[in-house]
Amino acid sequence: MKNRDSIIRYYKSGDNGALAARLIDLADSAVKGRPYTVSEFVTPGAVQIGETINAHVSSLFLRTDGGYKGAERVKLCFVRDDYDGPVPTDITACRITWDARYRLLGHRDVLGALMSLGIDRSRFGDIIMHEDGAVILTDTALFPYLQQHLEKIAMVSVTVSEVPLTSIPPRQEKVKEIKTTVASLRLDAVVSSGFGISRTKAAEAIKGERVRVNWQPAKGPAQEVGAGAVISLRGKGRMELVEITGTSRKGRTGILLKRYM
């Protein structure tokens, strides 16, 4: 496709050049004759790459499917504009249950159990936690393997069953609005205010590659961020810099943040 090299070069600066190349190859397969192509499960950052690719190919349109409304990790579908048939994404909802007394099991425990089985992260999507279990959106072909091999999570016995995708309610996130001021729009200052940690710890997290901006690795504590930036801190969640509200009398910059709990 045209602009292939420039797209890869742009995303390579954020360590996503290889992913951009794979998605371009996927789109090219549809351009060259396949009615549609479907990716593995990808992050919201990969969706941005898919949208960039789609903007350069007029004969395709982009769909996303994570198994339920509001899914964060989804599959990308590049579909020819002259094709109006079904686009199967082969997603199954896998219900994991355990004794309700073990409520300390969390998202990290479930994710760790899946990774310990040698399952690549691209084979499954969102993990939705409940008090007595979780629902994992997986490749349909992976489900029998999970039924056979996923027996325990953090030493707690679990059972695996399939549930209809239609039984999963739309994702609803708790949002906390934060109106504050910062000395500047440097990333470390915004991370400090939004996540309630010291600026020193914010800088350490950024240098430790625990912070992402718009799903790309942060460039450094001094990186400037603007309205619309989505910032995530591993272990703390993510937030959006919604608006720059002005300058205070003391010269500080007012910002409005939305933190997703």
Side-chain angles (χ1 to χ4, degrees):
M1 63 172 284
K2 294 181 180 178
N3 301 315
R4 174 190 176 91
D5 291 342
S6 61
I7 293 173
I8 293 174
R9 188 163 52 249
Y10 175 80
Y11 285 105
K12 188 175 182 179
S13 64
D15 294 331
N16 280 317
L19 173 60
R22 291 201 304 274
L23 293 179
I24 289 172
D25 289 342
L26 197 69
D28 275 341
S29 293
V31 170
K32 293 175 180 178
R34 295 181 61 180
Y36 60 85
T37 54
V38 181
S39 76
E40 70 275 13
F41 284 101
V42 298
T43 65
V47 176
Q48 288 189 330
I49 298 174
E51 290 171 345
T52 299
I53 295 169
N54 188 59
H56 288 83
V57 186
S58 60
S59 62
L60 301 179
F61 62 91
L62 180 67
R63 294 182 188 174
T64 62
D65 183 13
Y68 71 108
K69 187 175 181 180
E72 183 169 277
R73 295 183 66 90
V74 299
K75 292 187 176 186
L76 303 183
C77 311
F78 292 102
V79 186
R80 292 179 63 93
D81 59 5
D82 57 358
Y83 175 74
D84 60 0
V87 181
T89 51
D90 296 326
I91 298 175
T92 293
C94 180
R95 172 75 166 152
I96 314 296
T97 56
W98 54 76
D99 191 313
R101 291 174 296 177
Y102 297 101
R103 294 187 179 180
L104 293 178
L105 290 182
H107 185 282
R108 184 174 297 181
D109 298 308
V110 177
L111 177 60
L114 294 172
M115 302 299 283
S116 68
L117 290 175
I119 301 171
D120 191 271
R121 189 63 182 92
S122 65
R123 298 290 307 281
F124 57 95
D126 286 1
I127 299 172
I128 307 167
M129 299 302 300
H130 300 287
E131 286 188 350
D132 62 345
V135 172
I136 306 169
L137 284 303
T138 76
D139 281 337
T140 298
L142 180 63
F143 177 70
Y145 181 83
L146 292 177
Q147 276 194 310
Q148 183 177 356
H149 296 283
L150 185 58
E151 300 176 340
K152 290 187 177 182
I153 297 176
M155 304 305 294
V156 177
S157 296
V158 300
T159 58
V160 179
S161 60
E162 182 179 354
V163 294
L165 292 173
T166 53
S167 69
I168 305 175
R171 179 176 179 170
Q172 294 183 341
E173 294 182 297
K174 294 181 181 179
V175 179
K176 177 182 179 181
E177 286 196 352
I178 302 171
K179 293 181 179 180
T180 186
T181 62
V182 290
S184 71
L185 290 174
R186 281 174 52 118
L187 180 58
D188 56 355
V190 176
V191 167
S192 172
S193 293
F195 290 110
I197 59 177
S198 71
R199 192 158 175 177
T200 299
K201 287 189 178 295
E204 289 173 352
I206 295 166
K207 293 176 183 177
E209 300 182 348
R210 294 167 51 211
V211 176
R212 287 179 171 260
V213 179
N214 295 328
W215 296 281
Q216 307 295 318
K219 298 176 180 177
Q223 177 180 349
E224 288 204 356
V225 291
V230 177
I231 303 166
S232 62
L233 171 59
R234 192 184 309 156
K236 290 281 189 178
R238 62 186 170 87
M239 64 182 177
E240 179 183 358
L241 201 172
V242 178
E243 183 182 355
I244 299 169
T245 58
T247 305
S248 71
R249 293 179 181 178
K250 295 183 178 180
R252 292 176 64 84
T253 302
I255 56 175
L256 172 63
L257 302 167
K258 281 187 178 180
R259 182 172 172 186
Y260 299 90
M261 313 298 287

